[in-house]
Amino acid sequence: RYAEFKRHGGTFLDNIVTRGLVATNFADRILGSRAFARQNSDGVALDEHLFGEAETFGDFVGGMRDFTARYDGGRRIDSWIVGKPLLFGLDRETYALAVNATPDGCHVLSEVYCRSRPTEEEARQHISDYLVDTGRKFREIRPGVPFYPDALSGAGMVLGNFSQIPTISTWHHTQIDYKYFLDLQFQALATDPAFDGLGLVGVWGSYFCDEEIYRWTFMLARHYCIEGRTELLSKKYGLSYLPGHLLNGDFEDGFANWRTNGTVRLERIRGLAENVERRWGGSTVGDAFALLAKADGKPARIGQVIRGLVPGRMYTMDVTCFDVKDARTKTWRPAELPLAVTMDATAEKDPSLSWTFVDRRPKGTHGWGVKVNRHHIVFTARAPEIRMMLDNSAAEDGTEIGVNAIGVWPYIAR
């Protein structure tokens, strides 16, 4: 695979952490890294600096001066520098040293990880304020004050496509089609004048997305970056920001749109979305959930009619669940929870694309350590409406299962 990657023009960079290094050992750390010992490495990416961080940038400037004086090229040196330029003098000098670290030129890799918003209008505004304004700041640190000559040619805008609850996710609102949200970001890079002459487009987090989002990311890269198109790719596939097939999947509006039976309560745990479900960067949704309790042998159920489906088209449904007692006490007890996720016979499930993820990562590696199950079901609709049901019949008495982050959206097949 590596040989094939290289045949297609790929560049492989090792990643080394240089933030926090003092100027006197900065160059030695780079030159002594495994990237310079491994023949199949094309260089290194220096990780992870922040614009406006004067203390560490002083060491970056001193260290890079030492490095460039000692190194005459041969391996690529890119630098992860996060955020918008803030300090004209120090940030500008840092940028100059980063993009000129080797004679052939290098890139400053800017991580811009947009988080979803509840409506398309709000999402577009967030992309403008965060992503597009980062491009503007690379051009002009203040109106009329150029940041660095031809700065965009040495810049790389790296979007986030990590979208897997409960590992790490910028998909905070599960009622939206995340594919459309990614499309809006790629289109901004392709069409906004702030990015004219941009040197590189990338993504981070492909190992934290499912196979459809992984494929869609590369479809977007081809559409905009190789074929040079500017129209939303989503339009070709009939996608929209808010598909509307399943509503109120995070129970922000209580049990509106839901049918309940048995012991079902609405509850909220502060910090659940960020610390248990790992909706990265802080989330305004996801702390509320439906609690299904098994009591006196009687199961609890909730359900909803999935609407507006096109017969013969494929869709995805996601359901997130967790043990409520563990979430309250921040207890690590990984297990597959006794929650059945079912749909009526008008949904034809694809077993090869459907799965249940049980988070078994070691305690202490993330958040509160509470283990989450995620049900991911790909199905073909055989009718415009399908009934879905969540049922804890298999649970023991006293079991409390929380459910939220429920959504349905069109699936793009291979």
Side-chain angles (χ1 to χ4, degrees), residues 35-232:
F36 288 83
R38 288 175 49 180
Q39 293 187 355
N40 65 349
S41 173
D42 298 302
V44 296
L46 312 183
D47 196 14
E48 171 176 19
H49 301 272
L50 307 173
F51 279 120
E53 197 173 59
E55 181 178 354
T56 62
F57 267 9
D59 284 312
F60 184 94
V61 168
M64 285 296 277
R65 285 176 177 167
D66 181 24
F67 172 78
T68 55
R70 296 163 57 184
Y71 187 61
D72 59 0
R75 304 270 177 124
R76 187 178 185 85
I77 309 293
D78 285 352
S79 299
W80 294 98
I81 304 182
V82 181
K84 305 174 184 180
L86 299 170
L87 307 172
F88 181 73
L90 188 56
D91 284 1
R92 193 173 191 265
E93 186 172 8
T94 298
Y95 190 90
L97 285 163
V99 297
N100 295 291
T102 66
D104 294 333
C106 304
H107 283 105
V108 165
L109 307 175
S110 179
E111 299 168 89
V112 187
Y113 301 154
C114 297
R115 278 85 80 189
S116 67
R117 293 296 188 268
T119 68
E120 181 175 347
E121 181 182 6
E122 291 172 277
R124 287 181 179 273
Q125 188 60 54
H126 172 55
I127 291 167
S128 176
D129 293 342
Y130 186 20
L131 175 60
V132 176
D133 193 58
T134 299
R136 295 191 192 107
K137 290 297 191 296
F138 272 98
R139 291 188 176 280
E140 294 184 336
I141 195 165
R142 295 186 299 274
V145 181
F147 172 57
Y148 186 80
D150 196 24
L152 266 292
S153 66
M157 292 294 162
V158 181
L159 307 176
N161 69 342
F162 48 100
S163 49
Q164 280 207 328
I165 293 173
T167 47
I168 183 170
S169 180
T170 53
W171 194 344
H172 289 190
H173 303 80
T174 54
Q175 73 272 20
I176 77 161
D177 190 332
Y178 188 75
K179 297 187 294 296
Y180 193 100
F181 181 55
L182 270 182
D183 199 352
L184 291 177
Q185 296 170 62
F186 270 90
Q187 188 191 47
L189 293 178
T191 61
D192 196 285
F195 300 110
D196 286 352
L198 181 62
L200 182 148
V201 173
V203 294
W204 183 86
S206 290
Y207 33 75
F208 294 125
C209 60
D210 62 47
E211 58 85 24
E212 183 195 19
I213 299 301
Y214 183 85
R215 288 187 291 103
W216 180 253
T217 300
F218 284 92
M219 290 168 68
L220 291 172
R222 173 175 288 280
H223 179 78
Y224 291 108
C225 303
I226 297 175
E227 297 175 355
R229 300 181 185 275
T230 57
E231 71 280 5
L232 284 172

Side-chain angles (χ1 to χ4, degrees), residues 330-382:
K330 304 178 184 179
T331 299
W332 184 75
R333 227 175 16 151
E336 185 167 354
L337 300 174
L339 181 77
V341 181
T342 60
M343 290 180 283
D344 63 34
T346 54
E348 185 179 306
K349 180 179 176 180
D350 187 329
S352 69
L353 295 172
S354 304
W355 39 263
T356 298
F357 171 72
V358 179
D359 188 3
R360 300 185 186 276
R361 289 173 295 167
K363 185 177 181 179
T365 58
H366 70 287
W368 295 349
V370 179
K371 297 309 172 184
V372 173
N373 291 191
R374 179 183 173 191
H375 297 265
H376 182 85
I377 300 170
V378 178
F379 65 95
T380 299
R382 298 304 179 192

Side-chain angles (χ1 to χ4, degrees), residues 268-283:
R268 185 181 296 268
I269 297 177
R270 186 173 181 179
L272 175 79
E274 183 173 7
N275 295 292
V276 174
E277 297 179 341
R278 304 299 287 163
R279 304 193 202 193
W280 176 84
S283 180

Side-chain angles (χ1 to χ4, degrees), residues 3-36:
E4 184 179 3
F5 172 75
K6 295 298 292 181
R7 281 198 304 272
H8 284 84
T11 300
F12 176 76
L13 303 182
D14 267 335
N15 204 70
I16 63 172
V17 177
T18 51
R19 184 179 179 214
L21 296 178
V22 297
T24 52
N25 68 1
F26 193 96
D28 289 338
R29 175 72 177 90
I30 300 172
L31 293 168
S33 71
R34 63 180 181 179
F36 288 83

